[in-house]
Amino acid sequence: MATATGKLSARERLLAAADELFYNEGVHTVGIDRVIEHAGVAKASLYNTFGSKDELIRAYLRGRHDRIAGHIMAAVDDARTPREKVLAVFEGQNAAYAESGYQGCAFHRASAESRPGDRIDLATKDYRVWMRGLFTELAELAGAPDPDALAAQLHLVFDGNGVATRNDRGPGSTKIARATAEILLDAALA
């Protein structure tokens, strides 16, 4: 939250620094001293605000989740029909990628550094549960007889699009992912 003078709070500066550094370099590669220096805050600010580096990582991933969800839900809300809503998820995904120098899915990247049950693992699971739940809800709305199966297929295409976009260094795979989603949707509804 910005203060009355318009400056960012220590929390906002820490999250902005974590977002940039953790996303570009890795959550365990970047030491807490670099985040503190980049944020321009005292070490005590980190511990008073977040308590630990792990909690800062969790907050960073929560912020990524919220931003991605915002893009996706805006696209879904703009779509008119249940079918268009399913496919709009991929438009929202593309909008999220275009936001700021896409380096790959923040959750895929962070989970590569996680251990089962740690905060990164739990944040990644929360994000994936949300994503799968959205696909299930939209598949039900579209009339899929087995919305869970369709959601699992669409989620796999979504994940694959994220990896392909990162590895190919561009959003060219989004059109392919959307076309694949259309085929899966048509087959499920036939």
Side-chain angles (χ1 to χ4, degrees):
M1 166 194 274
T3 64
T5 61
K7 292 184 179 181
L8 295 178
S9 68
R11 177 182 176 76
E12 290 170 321
R13 288 182 294 177
L14 283 163
L15 282 172
D19 188 66
E20 179 184 336
L21 295 171
F22 290 163
Y23 183 66
N24 289 317
E25 299 177 34
V27 295
H28 290 306
T29 303
V30 174
I32 201 62
D33 290 334
R34 277 204 51 224
V35 175
I36 291 166
E37 179 183 341
H38 198 71
V41 300
K43 190 175 260 191
S45 294
L46 170 84
Y47 293 105
N48 289 336
T49 305
F50 295 102
S52 68
K53 181 182 177 185
D54 284 346
E55 189 57 26
L56 177 61
I57 292 168
R58 189 207 59 76
Y60 148 70
L61 290 171
R62 182 72 224 169
R64 284 280 170 164
H65 179 146
D66 291 345
R67 284 200 311 271
I68 294 166
H71 285 291
I72 290 170
M73 293 312 299
V76 169
D77 291 345
D78 285 346
R80 292 186 183 101
T81 69
R83 175 188 170 77
E84 289 172 353
K85 288 181 180 300
V86 170
L87 301 174
V89 171
F90 296 92
E91 302 308 320
Q93 183 184 33
N94 193 48
Y97 294 169
E99 183 179 65
S100 62
Y102 184 69
Q103 296 291 321
C105 174
F107 294 93
H108 293 168
R109 292 169 59 98
S111 71
E113 300 181 56
S114 73
R115 293 176 314 280
D118 71 8
R119 284 191 173 105
I120 297 168
D121 185 53
L122 296 175
T124 299
K125 284 179 181 174
D126 286 347
Y127 171 71
R128 293 187 61 73
V129 165
W130 175 80
M131 194 71 247
R132 181 71 58 90
L134 177 62
F135 274 128
T136 302
E137 178 185 320
L138 295 175
E140 286 173 358
L141 185 65
D146 189 350
D148 291 328
L150 179 58
Q153 293 167 342
L154 294 169
H155 196 185
L156 188 62
V157 172
F158 182 90
D159 284 347
N161 185 39
V163 172
T165 300
R166 163 68 173 138
N167 291 341
D168 296 341
R169 306 281 190 218
S173 62
T174 298
K175 288 180 184 180
I176 297 166
R178 183 184 160 97
T180 303
E182 284 184 274
I183 293 167
L184 291 169
L185 186 56
D186 289 345
L189 299 177

